[in-house]
Amino acid sequence: MAMTMTEKILARASGKTEVHPGDNVWVRADVLMTHDVCGPGTIGIFKREFGEQAQVWDREKVVLIPDHYIFTADDKCHRNVDILREFARAQGLPHHYDVGSKNYKGVCHIALAEEGHTRPGEVLFGTDSHTCTAGAFNEFATGIGNTDAAFVLGTGRLLVKVPPTMRFVFEGEFPPYVLAKDVILHVIGDIGVDGATYKAMEFAGEAVDRLSMEERMTLCNMVIEAGAKNGIIAADETTLAYVRVRTAKAFEPVGPDPGARHVSCTTYDARAIEPTVARPHSPDRRVSARELRDVRLTRAYIGSCTGGKITDFVNAASIMRGRRVAVDTFLVPATTEISRAIRTETLGGRTLLSIFEEAGCRVSLDASCAACLGGPEDTFGRINGPEVCISTTNRNFPGRMGAKEGQVYLASPYTVAASAVTGRITDPREFLGGGLGTGSERRCGAAGAASGASGGVAGAAGGVSGADGAASGGGGVISRAAREVGP
Ligand code: SF4
């Protein structure tokens, strides 16, 4: 039977020749990752259920990455880090990226990739909802709860229901002012925060093939914001070039079979995607950046697993170079490797760090999740009052970045940088050129099963309903098939 990439990985990992959506299969884990927020709970359950002296199923496959509440005076946060440290020592775990050691890395999802733990064709479980980021590497990667993680620690296996796959194809080429963050906000705006509940979101097409690994990670990072079980992209030379220099382990990518069945297939004209923003307080409250030009800001934030990678900082610097920011602007690298690169990589003869400092930004060189998840009050960049913030992070629920009175707009590094400079939400085309078109040249509803896309898409595929009725900034859909189709 023809299978999707997700089905092929789950079939292989469960020792079956084929699986179907809805099947429940016991899947072997290639990697289990946990961090300082969920690790202590996971470890507690593991000890309770398997015994105080129990050993993890495979030391080589357990990865501990403290990253969330690291640079704080809060004792409870320190205790969590200590619990991970003690567990790693007692179990003899080789992959522990401990705080204060030369191994310290920062945000787990980027650290996993940099350290070679994300490999095509494998299964990665993590106690963090954005574990789906690693789908960019052609693996089945998904977030799990502490109880499931404790079970994996003890047995190396987990019962997984095979998700049906939604396929998203981007034809042509993204405009130079559009980043992967715009693309995923655009898709989430189309299908809503429950539009892919327990589905695999598969990304393909010429425009996706052209993306760097960092941009592909951004795309897969936010599939959970549509409720997806996982995101996935086929491996190509870009994937292999990234992975091969980071791991000596053998791996086997999977591609989609011809004739594989998808619950839906939506094809976009990549050229019609615009700089996109999600308004407070939900990632599907999509609107074009150009439509929010009257929104005045008090803060900008560039960081997290979504928007704190080196390419994100290079893109932000390309706009901030030679300019001053008009609002408090906080920058936090996701990992120590990125922190070093900010100090060494140059643009126009200036390091990124000097560009940001001359622009008036507040740069933390301590890599971590920082204010993406709010954290203790002394967390760098945390929203502690009624701020209006534009951010490269992935969630904008009330209180997500700190105070519940805060308002968070989600956007790409280009849009955040442009907005930081003007003090209001700004389409980056004001700095990068490209003309503030309205997407009127988009081709919508061209195919038989397609529905109209402009001005808020409704009636999306597979029983998915449209996002917020007020959502705008839609467009670019060429075709949308609600039935099962081949790739
Ligand atoms: S950066 Fe934010 S979204 Fe990413 S793992 Fe940390 S808290 Fe979660």
Side-chain angles (χ1 to χ4, degrees), residues 179 215 310-320 347 413-414 417 432:
L179 297 173
E215 287 286 88
I310 189 59
T311 49
D312 300 317
F313 289 108
V314 169
N315 289 331
S318 70
I319 286 181
M320 289 189 186
L347 201 63
Y414 277 154
L432 299 171

Side-chain angles (χ1 to χ4, degrees), residues 138-314:
N138 183 236
E139 65 178 328
F140 178 79
T142 194
I144 59 175
N146 293 355
T147 307
D148 280 354
F151 187 83
V152 176
L153 271 184
T155 67
R157 303 195 320 155
L158 192 64
L159 189 63
V160 174
K161 184 162 78 172
V162 179
T165 293
M166 300 172 78
R167 185 169 162 90
F168 299 87
V169 180
F170 293 86
E171 291 186 349
E173 194 173 350
F174 295 121
Y177 46 81
V178 162
L179 297 173
K181 181 67 170 292
D182 300 301
V183 178
I184 191 63
L185 287 177
H186 191 92
V187 171
I188 296 167
D190 270 359
I191 66 177
V193 288
D194 58 354
T197 300
Y198 212 94
K199 308 245 178 15
M201 290 176 71
E202 179 177 306
F203 300 101
E206 186 187 348
V208 172
D209 294 345
R210 291 170 186 264
L211 295 178
S212 66
M213 284 316 302
E214 285 82 1
E215 287 286 88
R216 295 181 194 187
M217 289 166 78
T218 302
L219 208 50
C220 289
N221 174 274
M222 286 190 70
V223 300
I224 186 64
E225 265 54 72
K229 183 70 173 171
N230 65 304
I232 194 159
I233 297 174
D236 61 8
E237 281 308 314
T238 303
T239 322
L240 300 181
Y242 187 103
V243 174
R244 280 188 182 133
V245 297
R246 289 171 170 82
T247 184
K249 290 197 172 162
F251 53 84
E252 192 179 341
V254 296
D257 287 336
R261 299 173 77 79
H262 305 95
V263 73
S264 67
C265 182
T266 306
T267 302
Y268 290 85
D269 179 352
R271 291 159 297 196
I273 307 289
E274 291 191 74
T276 302
V277 175
R279 294 167 293 164
H281 297 281
S282 182
D284 63 357
R285 297 198 72 227
R286 178 192 68 195
V287 67
S288 299
R290 62 184 163 75
E291 295 178 75
L292 294 177
R293 57 185 309 144
D294 294 333
V295 176
R296 307 234 42 114
L297 301 163
T298 63
R299 175 172 296 208
Y301 186 94
I302 300 177
S304 84
C305 52
T306 321
K309 303 178 293 305
I310 189 59
T311 49
D312 300 317
F313 289 108
V314 169

Side-chain angles (χ1 to χ4, degrees), residues 67-68 107-109 128 130 221 304-305 369 372-373 394 400:
D67 58 355
H68 277 63
V107 180
C108 55
H109 309 301
D128 189 284
H130 292 101
N221 174 274
S304 84
C305 52
C369 297
C372 174
L373 190 56
N394 48 39
R400 167 71 185 191

Side-chain angles (χ1 to χ4, degrees), residues 386-401:
E387 306 280 356
V388 182
C389 178
I390 190 160
S391 175
T392 65
T393 53
N394 48 39
R395 285 182 179 153
N396 57 352
F397 313 133
R400 167 71 185 191
M401 292 185 73

